[in-house]
Amino acid sequence: MSASPAGARDEGVRRAVVPVFRSLGRRPWLLPAALSGVLRLARPGWWRRWPPLPLPDPELWRFRMQTAYGGTGDAVPDEDDVVSFVEWSRAMRHWRRN
């Protein structure tokens, strides 16, 4: 782990916000499942940090992007990947309930 400032570590998460919102804005029926996923990935105690946004821990985000796309973990998810993941997550939630 590098000793970089928090702003630099959060940069990967911040770059992904626009593509994620863009992809979900076109599919409002996925918003409840997306919100559930956001809250699952959010840093513990996210409401105590300014700004109070439920963003994932930068190291978790880097790990997720590295395992999904390879490289150094600075990738931004594709819109199709975001939609596929949220649809899968939604289907799994319904499957677990039945």
Side-chain angles (χ1 to χ4, degrees):
M1 296 196 193
S2 64
S4 61
R9 287 193 321 255
D10 288 343
E11 186 60 32
V13 174
R14 291 180 186 162
R15 287 183 323 151
V17 168
V18 172
V20 167
F21 277 114
R22 186 179 326 130
S23 62
L24 295 173
R26 295 182 191 141
R27 299 159 185 91
W29 61 90
L30 292 177
L31 288 176
L35 181 58
S36 175
V38 164
L39 293 175
R40 277 195 309 275
L41 287 175
R43 284 184 263 212
W46 60 268
W47 57 89
R48 292 187 207 120
R49 294 178 181 91
W50 190 258
L53 300 172
L55 298 175
D57 178 73
E59 293 301 317
L60 172 62
W61 184 260
R62 186 188 59 72
F63 172 76
R64 292 283 186 129
M65 293 300 102
Q66 188 174 20
T67 55
Y69 298 102
T72 61
D74 59 352
V76 174
D78 300 328
E79 286 189 39
D80 291 339
D81 291 344
V82 171
V83 171
S84 294
F85 175 76
V86 173
E87 287 176 338
W88 172 83
S89 177
R90 185 173 132 189
M92 290 297 102
R93 191 175 79 222
H94 289 298
W95 179 76
R96 284 191 311 259
R97 288 182 181 174
N98 294 329

Coordinates of all heavy atoms in Angstrom, one line a residue:
M1 N 0.8 -1.2 0.0 CA 0.0 0.0 0.0 C 0.9 1.2 0.0 O 1.8 1.3 0.7 CB -0.9 0.0 1.2 CG -1.9 -1.1 1.2 SD -3.2 -0.7 2.4 CE -3.9 -2.4 2.5
S2 N 0.5 2.2 -0.8 CA 1.3 3.4 -0.9 C 0.7 4.4 0.1 O -0.4 4.4 0.5 CB 1.2 4.0 -2.3 OG -0.1 4.3 -2.6
A3 N 1.6 5.3 0.5 CA 1.2 6.4 1.4 C 0.8 7.6 0.6 O 1.5 8.6 0.6 CB 2.3 6.7 2.4
S4 N -0.3 7.5 -0.1 CA -0.8 8.7 -0.9 C -1.9 9.4 -0.1 O -2.5 8.8 0.7 CB -1.3 8.2 -2.3 OG -2.4 7.3 -2.1
P5 N -2.1 10.7 -0.4 CA -3.2 11.4 0.2 C -4.5 10.8 -0.1 O -4.7 10.1 -1.1 CB -3.1 12.8 -0.3 CG -1.9 12.9 -1.3 CD -1.4 11.5 -1.4
A6 N -5.5 11.0 0.8 CA -6.8 10.4 0.7 C -7.4 10.8 -0.6 O -8.1 10.0 -1.3 CB -7.7 10.8 1.9
G7 N -7.3 12.1 -1.1 CA -7.8 12.5 -2.3 C -7.4 11.7 -3.5 O -8.1 11.4 -4.4
A8 N -6.1 11.4 -3.5 CA -5.5 10.6 -4.6 C -6.0 9.2 -4.6 O -6.3 8.6 -5.6 CB -4.0 10.7 -4.5
R9 N -6.2 8.7 -3.4 CA -6.7 7.3 -3.3 C -8.2 7.2 -3.7 O -8.6 6.3 -4.3 CB -6.6 6.8 -1.9 CG -5.2 6.4 -1.5 CD -5.2 5.7 -0.2 NE -6.1 6.1 0.8 CZ -5.9 6.8 1.9 NH1 -4.7 7.2 2.2 NH2 -6.8 7.1 2.7
D10 N -8.9 8.3 -3.5 CA -10.4 8.3 -3.8 C -10.6 8.6 -5.3 O -11.7 8.5 -5.8 CB -11.1 9.4 -3.0 CG -11.3 9.0 -1.6 OD1 -11.1 7.8 -1.2 OD2 -11.5 9.9 -0.7
E11 N -9.6 9.0 -6.0 CA -9.7 9.4 -7.4 C -10.4 8.3 -8.3 O -11.2 8.6 -9.1 CB -8.4 9.8 -8.0 CG -8.5 10.4 -9.4 CD -9.3 11.6 -9.5 OE1 -9.4 12.4 -8.5 OE2 -10.0 11.8 -10.5
G12 N -10.0 7.0 -8.1 CA -10.5 6.0 -8.9 C -12.0 5.8 -8.7 O -12.8 5.6 -9.6
V13 N -12.4 5.9 -7.4 CA -13.9 5.9 -7.1 C -14.6 7.0 -7.7 O -15.7 6.9 -8.3 CB -14.1 5.9 -5.6 CG1 -15.5 5.9 -5.2 CG2 -13.4 4.6 -4.9
R14 N -14.0 8.2 -7.6 CA -14.7 9.4 -8.2 C -14.8 9.4 -9.7 O -15.8 9.8 -10.2 CB -13.9 10.7 -7.8 CG -14.0 11.0 -6.3 CD -13.3 12.2 -5.9 NE -13.3 12.3 -4.5 CZ -12.5 13.1 -3.8 NH1 -11.6 13.8 -4.4 NH2 -12.5 13.1 -2.5
R15 N -13.8 8.8 -10.4 CA -13.9 8.7 -11.8 C -15.0 7.8 -12.2 O -15.5 7.9 -13.3 CB -12.6 8.2 -12.4 CG -11.5 9.3 -12.4 CD -10.2 8.8 -13.0 NE -10.0 7.4 -12.7 CZ -9.4 6.6 -13.5 NH1 -8.9 7.0 -14.6 NH2 -9.2 5.3 -13.1
A16 N -15.4 6.8 -11.4 CA -16.4 5.8 -11.8 C -17.8 6.3 -11.5 O -18.7 5.7 -12.0 CB -16.1 4.5 -11.0
V17 N -18.0 7.4 -10.8 CA -19.3 7.8 -10.4 C -20.1 8.2 -11.6 O -21.3 7.8 -11.7 CB -19.2 9.0 -9.4 CG1 -20.5 9.7 -9.2 CG2 -18.7 8.5 -8.0
V18 N -19.6 9.0 -12.5 CA -20.3 9.4 -13.7 C -20.8 8.3 -14.6 O -21.9 8.2 -14.9 CB -19.5 10.5 -14.5 CG1 -20.2 10.8 -15.8 CG2 -19.3 11.7 -13.7
P19 N -19.9 7.3 -15.0 CA -20.3 6.2 -15.8 C -21.4 5.4 -15.1 O -22.3 4.9 -15.7 CB -19.1 5.4 -16.0 CG -17.9 6.3 -15.8 CD -18.4 7.3 -14.8
V20 N -21.2 5.2 -13.8 CA -22.2 4.4 -13.0 C -23.6 5.1 -13.0 O -24.6 4.5 -13.4 CB -21.7 4.1 -11.6 CG1 -22.9 3.6 -10.7 CG2 -20.6 3.2 -11.6
F21 N -23.6 6.4 -12.7 CA -24.9 7.1 -12.7 C -25.5 7.2 -14.1 O -26.7 7.1 -14.3 CB -24.7 8.5 -12.2 CG -24.8 8.6 -10.7 CD1 -23.7 8.9 -10.0 CD2 -25.9 8.2 -10.0 CE1 -23.7 9.0 -8.6 CE2 -26.0 8.3 -8.6 CZ -24.9 8.6 -7.9
R22 N -24.6 7.3 -15.1 CA -25.1 7.4 -16.5 C -25.8 6.1 -16.9 O -26.9 6.1 -17.5 CB -24.0 7.7 -17.5 CG -24.4 8.0 -18.9 CD -23.3 8.3 -19.8 NE -22.2 9.1 -19.2 CZ -20.9 8.7 -19.3 NH1 -20.5 7.7 -20.0 NH2 -20.0 9.5 -18.8
S23 N -25.1 5.0 -16.6 CA -25.7 3.7 -17.0 C -27.0 3.4 -16.2 O -27.9 2.8 -16.8 CB -24.7 2.6 -16.8 OG -24.3 2.5 -15.5
L24 N -27.1 3.8 -15.0 CA -28.2 3.5 -14.2 C -29.4 4.5 -14.4 O -30.5 4.2 -14.3 CB -27.9 3.4 -12.7 CG -27.0 2.3 -12.4 CD1 -26.5 2.4 -10.9 CD2 -27.6 0.9 -12.6
G25 N -29.0 5.7 -14.8 CA -30.0 6.7 -15.1 C -30.9 6.3 -16.3 O -32.0 6.7 -16.4
R26 N -30.4 5.5 -17.2 CA -31.1 5.0 -18.3 C -32.0 3.8 -18.0 O -32.8 3.4 -18.8 CB -30.2 4.7 -19.5 CG -29.4 5.9 -20.0 CD -28.5 5.5 -21.1 NE -27.6 6.6 -21.5 CZ -26.4 6.4 -21.8 NH1 -25.8 5.2 -21.9 NH2 -25.6 7.5 -22.0
R27 N -31.8 3.3 -16.8 CA -32.5 2.1 -16.3 C -33.0 2.3 -14.9 O -32.5 1.7 -14.0 CB -31.6 0.9 -16.4 CG -31.1 0.6 -17.8 CD -29.9 -0.2 -17.8 NE -29.3 -0.4 -19.1 CZ -28.4 0.4 -19.7 NH1 -28.0 1.5 -19.0 NH2 -28.0 0.2 -20.9
P28 N -34.0 3.2 -14.7 CA -34.4 3.5 -13.3 C -34.9 2.3 -12.5 O -34.9 2.4 -11.3 CB -35.5 4.6 -13.5 CG -35.9 4.5 -14.9 CD -34.7 3.9 -15.7
W29 N -35.4 1.3 -13.2 CA -35.9 0.1 -12.5 C -34.8 -0.6 -11.7 O -35.0 -1.4 -10.8 CB -36.6 -0.8 -13.4 CG -35.7 -1.4 -14.5 CD1 -35.0 -2.5 -14.5 CD2 -35.5 -0.8 -15.8 NE1 -34.3 -2.7 -15.7 CE2 -34.6 -1.6 -16.5 CE3 -36.0 0.4 -16.4 CZ2 -34.2 -1.3 -17.8 CZ3 -35.5 0.7 -17.7 CH2 -34.6 -0.2 -18.4
L30 N -33.5 -0.3 -12.1 CA -32.4 -1.0 -11.4 C -31.9 -0.2 -10.2 O -31.0 -0.6 -9.4 CB -31.2 -1.2 -12.4 CG -31.4 -2.2 -13.5 CD1 -30.2 -2.2 -14.4 CD2 -31.7 -3.6 -12.9
L31 N -32.4 1.0 -10.0 CA -31.9 1.9 -8.9 C -32.0 1.3 -7.5 O -31.1 1.4 -6.7 CB -32.6 3.3 -9.0 CG -32.1 4.1 -10.1 CD1 -32.9 5.4 -10.2 CD2 -30.6 4.4 -10.1
P32 N -33.1 0.6 -7.1 CA -33.1 0.0 -5.8 C -32.0 -1.0 -5.6 O -31.4 -1.1 -4.6 CB -34.5 -0.6 -5.7 CG -35.4 0.1 -6.7 CD -34.4 0.5 -7.8
A33 N -31.8 -1.9 -6.6 CA -30.7 -2.9 -6.5 C -29.4 -2.2 -6.5 O -28.5 -2.6 -5.7 CB -30.8 -3.9 -7.7
A34 N -29.2 -1.1 -7.2 CA -27.9 -0.4 -7.3 C -27.7 0.2 -5.9 O -26.5 0.2 -5.4 CB -27.9 0.6 -8.4
L35 N -28.7 0.8 -5.3 CA -28.5 1.5 -4.0 C -28.2 0.5 -3.0 O -27.3 0.7 -2.1 CB -29.8 2.2 -3.6 CG -29.8 3.0 -2.3 CD1 -28.6 4.0 -2.3 CD2 -31.1 3.6 -2.0
S36 N -28.8 -0.7 -3.0 CA -28.4 -1.8 -2.1 C -27.0 -2.2 -2.2 O -26.3 -2.3 -1.2 CB -29.4 -3.0 -2.3 OG -29.0 -4.0 -1.5
G37 N -26.5 -2.3 -3.5 CA -25.1 -2.6 -3.7 C -24.2 -1.5 -3.2 O -23.1 -1.8 -2.7
V38 N -24.5 -0.3 -3.4 CA -23.7 0.8 -3.0 C -23.5 0.8 -1.5 O -22.4 0.9 -0.9 CB -24.3 2.2 -3.4 CG1 -23.7 3.3 -2.7 CG2 -24.1 2.4 -4.9
L39 N -24.6 0.5 -0.8 CA -24.6 0.5 0.7 C -23.8 -0.7 1.2 O -23.1 -0.6 2.2 CB -26.0 0.5 1.3 CG -26.7 1.8 1.0 CD1 -28.2 1.7 1.5 CD2 -26.0 3.0 1.7
R40 N -23.8 -1.8 0.5 CA -23.0 -3.0 0.8 C -21.5 -2.7 0.7 O -20.7 -3.2 1.4 CB -23.4 -4.2 0.0 CG -24.5 -4.9 0.6 CD -24.7 -6.3 0.0 NE -24.6 -6.4 -1.5 CZ -25.7 -6.2 -2.3 NH1 -26.9 -5.9 -1.8 NH2 -25.5 -6.3 -3.6
L41 N -21.1 -1.9 -0.4 CA -19.7 -1.6 -0.6 C -19.2 -0.4 0.1 O -18.0 -0.2 0.2 CB -19.5 -1.4 -2.1 CG -19.6 -2.5 -3.1 CD1 -19.5 -2.1 -4.5 CD2 -18.5 -3.5 -2.8
A42 N -20.1 0.4 0.7 CA -19.7 1.6 1.4 C -18.8 1.4 2.5 O -18.9 0.4 3.2 CB -20.9 2.4 1.8
R43 N -17.9 2.3 2.8 CA -17.0 2.3 3.9 C -17.8 2.3 5.2 O -18.8 3.0 5.3 CB -16.1 3.5 4.0 CG -15.0 3.6 3.0 CD -14.2 4.8 3.3 NE -14.6 5.9 2.4 CZ -13.8 6.8 1.9 NH1 -12.6 6.9 2.3 NH2 -14.3 7.7 1.1
P44 N -17.4 1.5 6.2 CA -18.0 1.5 7.5 C -18.0 3.0 8.0 O -16.9 3.6 7.9 CB -17.2 0.6 8.3 CG -16.6 -0.3 7.4 CD -16.3 0.5 6.1
G45 N -19.1 3.5 8.5 CA -19.1 4.8 9.1 C -19.0 5.9 8.1 O -18.6 7.0 8.4
W46 N -19.5 5.6 6.8 CA -19.3 6.6 5.8 C -20.0 7.9 6.1 O -19.6 9.0 5.6 CB -19.8 6.0 4.4 CG -21.3 5.6 4.4 CD1 -21.8 4.4 4.7 CD2 -22.4 6.4 4.2 NE1 -23.1 4.4 4.6 CE2 -23.6 5.6 4.3 CE3 -22.6 7.8 3.8 CZ2 -24.8 6.1 4.1 CZ3 -23.9 8.3 3.6 CH2 -25.0 7.4 3.7
W47 N -21.1 7.9 6.9 CA -21.9 9.1 7.2 C -21.1 10.0 8.1 O -21.5 11.2 8.3 CB -23.2 8.7 7.8 CG -23.1 7.9 9.0 CD1 -22.9 8.3 10.3 CD2 -23.0 6.5 9.1 NE1 -22.8 7.3 11.2 CE2 -22.8 6.1 10.5 CE3 -23.0 5.4 8.2 CZ2 -22.7 4.8 10.9 CZ3 -22.9 4.1 8.6 CH2 -22.8 3.8 9.9
R48 N -20.0 9.5 8.7 CA -19.2 10.4 9.6 C -18.1 11.2 8.9 O -17.5 12.0 9.5 CB -18.5 9.5 10.7 CG -19.5 8.9 11.6 CD -18.7 8.2 12.8 NE -19.6 7.1 13.3 CZ -19.2 5.8 13.3 NH1 -18.1 5.4 12.8 NH2 -20.1 4.9 13.7
R49 N -17.9 10.9 7.6 CA -16.8 11.6 6.9 C -17.5 12.6 6.0 O -18.6 12.4 5.4 CB -16.1 10.6 6.0 CG -15.3 9.6 6.9 CD -14.6 8.6 6.0 NE -13.8 7.7 6.7 CZ -14.2 6.5 7.1 NH1 -15.5 6.1 6.8 NH2 -13.5 5.7 7.8
W50 N -16.8 13.7 5.7 CA -17.3 14.7 4.8 C -16.7 14.5 3.5 O -15.5 14.3 3.4 CB -17.0 16.1 5.3 CG -17.7 17.1 4.5 CD1 -17.2 17.9 3.5 CD2 -19.1 17.4 4.6 NE1 -18.2 18.7 3.0 CE2 -19.4 18.4 3.6 CE3 -20.2 17.0 5.3 CZ2 -20.6 18.9 3.4 CZ3 -21.4 17.5 5.1 CH2 -21.6 18.5 4.1
P51 N -17.4 14.6 2.4 CA -18.9 14.6 2.3 C -19.5 13.3 2.6 O -18.9 12.2 2.3 CB -19.1 15.0 0.9 CG -18.0 14.5 0.1 CD -16.8 14.6 1.0
P52 N -20.6 13.3 3.3 CA -21.2 12.0 3.7 C -21.9 11.2 2.5 O -23.1 11.2 2.3 CB -22.3 12.4 4.7 CG -22.7 13.8 4.3 CD -21.4 14.4 3.7
L53 N -21.0 10.6 1.7 CA -21.4 9.8 0.6 C -21.1 8.4 0.8 O -19.9 8.1 1.3 CB -20.8 10.3 -0.7 CG -21.0 11.8 -1.1 CD1 -20.1 12.2 -2.2 CD2 -22.5 11.9 -1.4
P54 N -21.9 7.4 0.5 CA -21.6 6.0 0.7 C -20.7 5.4 -0.4 O -21.0 4.5 -1.1 CB -23.0 5.4 0.6 CG -23.8 6.2 -0.3 CD -23.3 7.6 0.0
L55 N -19.5 6.0 -0.4 CA -18.5 5.5 -1.4 C -17.7 4.3 -0.8 O -17.5 4.2 0.4 CB -17.5 6.6 -1.7 CG -18.1 7.9 -2.4 CD1 -17.0 8.9 -2.5 CD2 -18.7 7.5 -3.7
P56 N -17.3 3.4 -1.7 CA -16.5 2.3 -1.2 C -15.1 2.8 -0.7 O -14.6 3.8 -1.1 CB -16.4 1.4 -2.4 CG -16.6 2.2 -3.6 CD -17.5 3.3 -3.1
D57 N -14.5 2.0 0.1 CA -13.1 2.2 0.5 C -12.2 2.2 -0.7 O -12.4 1.3 -1.6 CB -12.7 1.1 1.5 CG -11.2 1.3 1.9 OD1 -11.0 2.2 2.7 OD2 -10.4 0.5 1.4
P58 N -11.3 3.2 -0.9 CA -10.5 3.2 -2.1 C -9.7 2.0 -2.4 O -9.5 1.5 -3.5 CB -9.6 4.4 -1.9 CG -10.3 5.3 -0.9 CD -11.1 4.3 0.0
E59 N -9.2 1.3 -1.3 CA -8.4 0.1 -1.5 C -9.3 -1.0 -2.0 O -8.9 -1.8 -2.8 CB -7.7 -0.3 -0.2 CG -6.6 0.7 0.2 CD -5.5 0.8 -0.9 OE1 -5.1 -0.2 -1.5 OE2 -5.1 2.0 -1.2
L60 N -10.5 -1.1 -1.4 CA -11.5 -2.2 -1.9 C -11.8 -1.9 -3.4 O -11.9 -2.8 -4.2 CB -12.8 -2.1 -1.0 CG -13.9 -3.0 -1.5 CD1 -13.5 -4.5 -1.5 CD2 -15.1 -2.8 -0.7
W61 N -12.1 -0.6 -3.7 CA -12.4 -0.3 -5.1 C -11.3 -0.7 -6.0 O -11.5 -1.2 -7.1 CB -12.7 1.2 -5.2 CG -13.2 1.6 -6.6 CD1 -12.4 2.2 -7.5 CD2 -14.5 1.3 -7.2 NE1 -13.2 2.3 -8.7 CE2 -14.4 1.8 -8.5 CE3 -15.6 0.7 -6.7 CZ2 -15.5 1.7 -9.3 CZ3 -16.7 0.6 -7.6 CH2 -16.6 1.1 -8.9
R62 N -10.0 -0.3 -5.6 CA -8.9 -0.6 -6.5 C -8.8 -2.2 -6.6 O -8.5 -2.6 -7.8 CB -7.6 -0.1 -5.8 CG -6.4 -0.3 -6.7 CD -5.1 0.1 -6.0 NE -4.9 -0.7 -4.8 CZ -4.5 -2.0 -4.8 NH1 -4.3 -2.6 -5.9 NH2 -4.3 -2.6 -3.6
F63 N -9.0 -2.9 -5.6 CA -8.9 -4.4 -5.7 C -10.0 -4.9 -6.6 O -9.7 -5.8 -7.4 CB -9.1 -5.0 -4.3 CG -9.2 -6.5 -4.3 CD1 -8.2 -7.3 -4.5 CD2 -10.5 -7.0 -4.1 CE1 -8.3 -8.7 -4.5 CE2 -10.7 -8.4 -4.1 CZ -9.6 -9.2 -4.3
R64 N -11.2 -4.4 -6.5 CA -12.3 -4.8 -7.3 C -12.0 -4.5 -8.8 O -12.3 -5.4 -9.7 CB -13.6 -4.2 -6.9 CG -14.2 -4.6 -5.6 CD -14.8 -5.9 -5.7 NE -15.5 -6.3 -4.5 CZ -16.7 -6.7 -4.4 NH1 -17.4 -6.8 -5.5 NH2 -17.2 -7.1 -3.2
M65 N -11.5 -3.4 -9.1 CA -11.2 -3.0 -10.5 C -10.0 -3.8 -11.0 O -10.0 -4.2 -12.2 CB -10.9 -1.5 -10.6 CG -12.1 -0.6 -10.3 SD -13.5 -0.9 -11.4 CE -14.6 -1.9 -10.4
Q66 N -9.0 -4.1 -10.1 CA -7.9 -4.9 -10.6 C -8.3 -6.3 -10.9 O -7.9 -6.9 -11.9 CB -6.8 -4.9 -9.5 CG -5.5 -5.5 -9.9 CD -4.5 -5.3 -8.9 OE1 -4.7 -5.0 -7.7 NE2 -3.2 -5.4 -9.3
T67 N -9.2 -6.9 -10.0 CA -9.6 -8.3 -10.3 C -10.6 -8.3 -11.5 O -10.6 -9.4 -12.2 CB -10.3 -8.9 -9.1 OG1 -11.4 -8.1 -8.6 CG2 -9.3 -9.1 -7.9
A68 N -11.3 -7.3 -11.7 CA -12.3 -7.3 -12.9 C -11.6 -7.0 -14.2 O -11.9 -7.6 -15.2 CB -13.4 -6.3 -12.6
Y69 N -10.7 -6.0 -14.2 CA -10.1 -5.5 -15.4 C -8.6 -5.7 -15.6 O -8.0 -5.4 -16.6 CB -10.4 -4.1 -15.6 CG -11.9 -3.8 -15.7 CD1 -12.6 -3.3 -14.6 CD2 -12.6 -4.0 -16.9 CE1 -13.9 -3.0 -14.7 CE2 -13.9 -3.8 -16.9 CZ -14.6 -3.3 -15.8 OH -16.0 -3.1 -15.9
G70 N -7.9 -6.2 -14.5 CA -6.5 -6.4 -14.6 C -5.8 -5.0 -14.4 O -6.4 -4.0 -14.1
G71 N -4.5 -5.1 -14.6 CA -3.7 -3.8 -14.5 C -3.5 -3.4 -13.1 O -3.4 -4.2 -12.2
T72 N -3.4 -2.1 -12.9 CA -3.1 -1.5 -11.6 C -4.4 -1.2 -10.7 O -4.2 -0.8 -9.6 CB -2.3 -0.2 -11.7 OG1 -3.2 0.7 -12.5 CG2 -1.0 -0.5 -12.5
G73 N -5.5 -1.5 -11.2 CA -6.7 -1.2 -10.5 C -7.3 0.2 -10.7 O -8.2 0.6 -10.0
D74 N -6.8 0.9 -11.7 CA -7.3 2.3 -11.9 C -8.3 2.3 -13.0 O -8.7 3.4 -13.6 CB -6.2 3.2 -12.2 CG -5.3 2.8 -13.4 OD1 -5.6 1.7 -14.0 OD2 -4.5 3.6 -13.9
A75 N -8.9 1.1 -13.4 CA -9.9 1.1 -14.5 C -11.2 1.7 -14.0 O -11.5 1.8 -12.8 CB -10.1 -0.4 -14.9
V76 N -12.0 2.1 -15.0 CA -13.3 2.6 -14.7 C -14.3 1.6 -15.3 O -14.1 1.2 -16.5 CB -13.5 4.0 -15.4 CG1 -15.0 4.4 -15.2 CG2 -12.6 5.0 -14.7
P77 N -15.3 1.1 -14.6 CA -16.2 0.1 -15.2 C -17.0 0.6 -16.4 O -17.4 1.7 -16.4 CB -17.1 -0.2 -14.0 CG -17.1 0.9 -13.1 CD -15.7 1.5 -13.3
D78 N -17.1 -0.3 -17.3 CA -18.0 0.0 -18.5 C -19.4 0.0 -18.1 O -19.8 -0.6 -17.1 CB -17.8 -1.1 -19.5 CG -16.4 -1.3 -20.0 OD1 -15.7 -0.3 -20.1 OD2 -16.1 -2.5 -20.4
E79 N -20.2 0.8 -18.8 CA -21.7 0.9 -18.6 C -22.3 -0.5 -18.6 O -23.1 -0.8 -17.8 CB -22.3 1.8 -19.5 CG -22.1 3.3 -19.3 CD -22.9 4.2 -20.1 OE1 -24.1 3.9 -20.3 OE2 -22.4 5.2 -20.6
D80 N -22.0 -1.3 -19.6 CA -22.5 -2.6 -19.7 C -22.2 -3.5 -18.5 O -23.0 -4.3 -18.1 CB -22.1 -3.3 -21.0 CG -22.6 -2.6 -22.3 OD1 -23.7 -1.9 -22.1 OD2 -22.0 -2.8 -23.3
D81 N -21.0 -3.3 -18.0 CA -20.6 -4.1 -16.9 C -21.3 -3.7 -15.6 O -21.7 -4.6 -14.8 CB -19.1 -4.0 -16.6 CG -18.2 -4.6 -17.7 OD1 -18.8 -5.5 -18.4 OD2 -17.0 -4.3 -17.7
V82 N -21.6 -2.4 -15.5 CA -22.3 -1.9 -14.3 C -23.7 -2.5 -14.4 O -24.2 -3.1 -13.4 CB -22.4 -0.4 -14.3 CG1 -23.3 0.1 -13.2 CG2 -21.0 0.2 -14.0
V83 N -24.4 -2.4 -15.5 CA -25.7 -2.9 -15.7 C -25.8 -4.4 -15.4 O -26.7 -4.9 -14.7 CB -26.3 -2.5 -17.0 CG1 -27.6 -3.2 -17.3 CG2 -26.5 -1.0 -17.1
S84 N -24.8 -5.1 -16.0 CA -24.8 -6.6 -15.8 C -24.7 -7.0 -14.4 O -25.4 -7.9 -13.9 CB -23.7 -7.2 -16.6 OG -23.9 -7.1 -18.0
F85 N -23.8 -6.3 -13.7 CA -23.6 -6.6 -12.2 C -24.8 -6.3 -11.4 O -25.2 -7.1 -10.6 CB -22.4 -5.8 -11.7 CG -22.2 -6.0 -10.2 CD1 -21.7 -7.2 -9.7 CD2 -22.6 -5.0 -9.3 CE1 -21.5 -7.4 -8.4 CE2 -22.5 -5.2 -8.0 CZ -21.9 -6.4 -7.5
V86 N -25.5 -5.1 -11.7 CA -26.7 -4.8 -10.9 C -27.8 -5.7 -11.2 O -28.5 -6.2 -10.3 CB -27.0 -3.3 -11.1 CG1 -28.4 -3.0 -10.5 CG2 -26.0 -2.4 -10.6
E87 N -28.0 -6.1 -12.5 CA -29.0 -7.1 -12.8 C -28.7 -8.4 -12.2 O -29.6 -9.1 -11.6 CB -29.1 -7.2 -14.3 CG -29.8 -6.1 -15.0 CD -29.8 -6.2 -16.5 OE1 -28.9 -6.9 -17.1 OE2 -30.6 -5.5 -17.1
W88 N -27.5 -8.9 -12.2 CA -27.1 -10.1 -11.5 C -27.4 -10.0 -10.0 O -28.0 -11.0 -9.4 CB -25.6 -10.4 -11.8 CG -25.1 -11.6 -11.0 CD1 -25.3 -12.9 -11.3 CD2 -24.5 -11.6 -9.8 NE1 -24.7 -13.7 -10.4 CE2 -24.2 -12.9 -9.4 CE3 -24.1 -10.5 -8.9 CZ2 -23.5 -13.2 -8.2 CZ3 -23.4 -10.9 -7.7 CH2 -23.1 -12.2 -7.4
S89 N -27.0 -8.9 -9.4 CA -27.2 -8.8 -8.0 C -28.7 -8.8 -7.6 O -29.1 -9.4 -6.6 CB -26.6 -7.4 -7.5 OG -26.8 -7.2 -6.2
R90 N -29.5 -8.1 -8.4 CA -30.9 -8.1 -8.2 C -31.5 -9.5 -8.4 O -32.3 -9.9 -7.6 CB -31.5 -7.2 -9.3 CG -33.0 -7.0 -9.1 CD -33.4 -5.9 -10.1 NE -34.6 -6.4 -10.8 CZ -35.2 -5.8 -11.8 NH1 -34.6 -4.7 -12.3 NH2 -36.2 -6.3 -12.3
A91 N -31.1 -10.3 -9.4 CA -31.6 -11.6 -9.6 C -31.2 -12.5 -8.4 O -32.0 -13.3 -7.9 CB -31.0 -12.2 -10.9
M92 N -29.9 -12.3 -7.9 CA -29.5 -13.2 -6.8 C -30.3 -12.8 -5.5 O -30.6 -13.7 -4.7 CB -28.0 -13.0 -6.5 CG -27.1 -13.5 -7.6 SD -27.2 -15.3 -7.7 CE -28.3 -15.5 -9.2
R93 N -30.6 -11.6 -5.3 CA -31.4 -11.2 -4.2 C -32.8 -11.9 -4.2 O -33.3 -12.4 -3.2 CB -31.5 -9.7 -4.1 CG -32.1 -9.2 -2.7 CD -32.1 -7.7 -2.6 NE -33.3 -7.2 -3.3 CZ -33.3 -6.1 -4.1 NH1 -32.2 -5.4 -4.2 NH2 -34.4 -5.7 -4.7
H94 N -33.4 -11.8 -5.4 CA -34.7 -12.5 -5.5 C -34.6 -14.0 -5.4 O -35.4 -14.7 -4.8 CB -35.3 -12.2 -6.9 CG -35.8 -10.7 -7.0 ND1 -36.8 -10.2 -6.1 CD2 -35.4 -9.7 -7.8 CE1 -37.0 -9.0 -6.4 NE2 -36.1 -8.6 -7.4
W95 N -33.5 -14.6 -5.9 CA -33.3 -16.0 -5.8 C -33.1 -16.4 -4.3 O -33.6 -17.5 -3.9 CB -32.0 -16.4 -6.6 CG -31.7 -17.8 -6.6 CD1 -32.4 -18.8 -7.2 CD2 -30.7 -18.4 -5.8 NE1 -31.8 -20.0 -6.9 CE2 -30.7 -19.8 -6.1 CE3 -29.7 -18.0 -4.9 CZ2 -29.8 -20.7 -5.5 CZ3 -28.8 -18.8 -4.4 CH2 -28.9 -20.2 -4.7
R96 N -32.4 -15.6 -3.5 CA -32.1 -16.0 -2.1 C -33.4 -15.9 -1.3 O -33.6 -16.6 -0.4 CB -31.1 -15.0 -1.5 CG -29.7 -15.3 -1.9 CD -28.7 -14.5 -1.0 NE -29.1 -13.1 -0.9 CZ -28.5 -12.1 -1.6 NH1 -27.6 -12.4 -2.5 NH2 -28.8 -10.9 -1.5
R97 N -34.4 -15.0 -1.7 CA -35.6 -14.9 -1.0 C -36.6 -16.1 -1.2 O -37.4 -16.3 -0.4 CB -36.3 -13.6 -1.4 CG -35.6 -12.4 -0.8 CD -36.3 -11.1 -1.2 NE -35.6 -10.0 -0.7 CZ -36.0 -8.8 -0.9 NH1 -37.0 -8.5 -1.7 NH2 -35.3 -7.8 -0.4
N98 N -36.4 -16.7 -2.4 CA -37.4 -17.8 -2.7 C -36.9 -19.1 -2.2 O -35.9 -19.4 -1.9 CB -37.6 -17.9 -4.2 CG -38.3 -16.6 -4.7 OD1 -39.1 -16.0 -4.0 ND2 -38.0 -16.2 -5.9

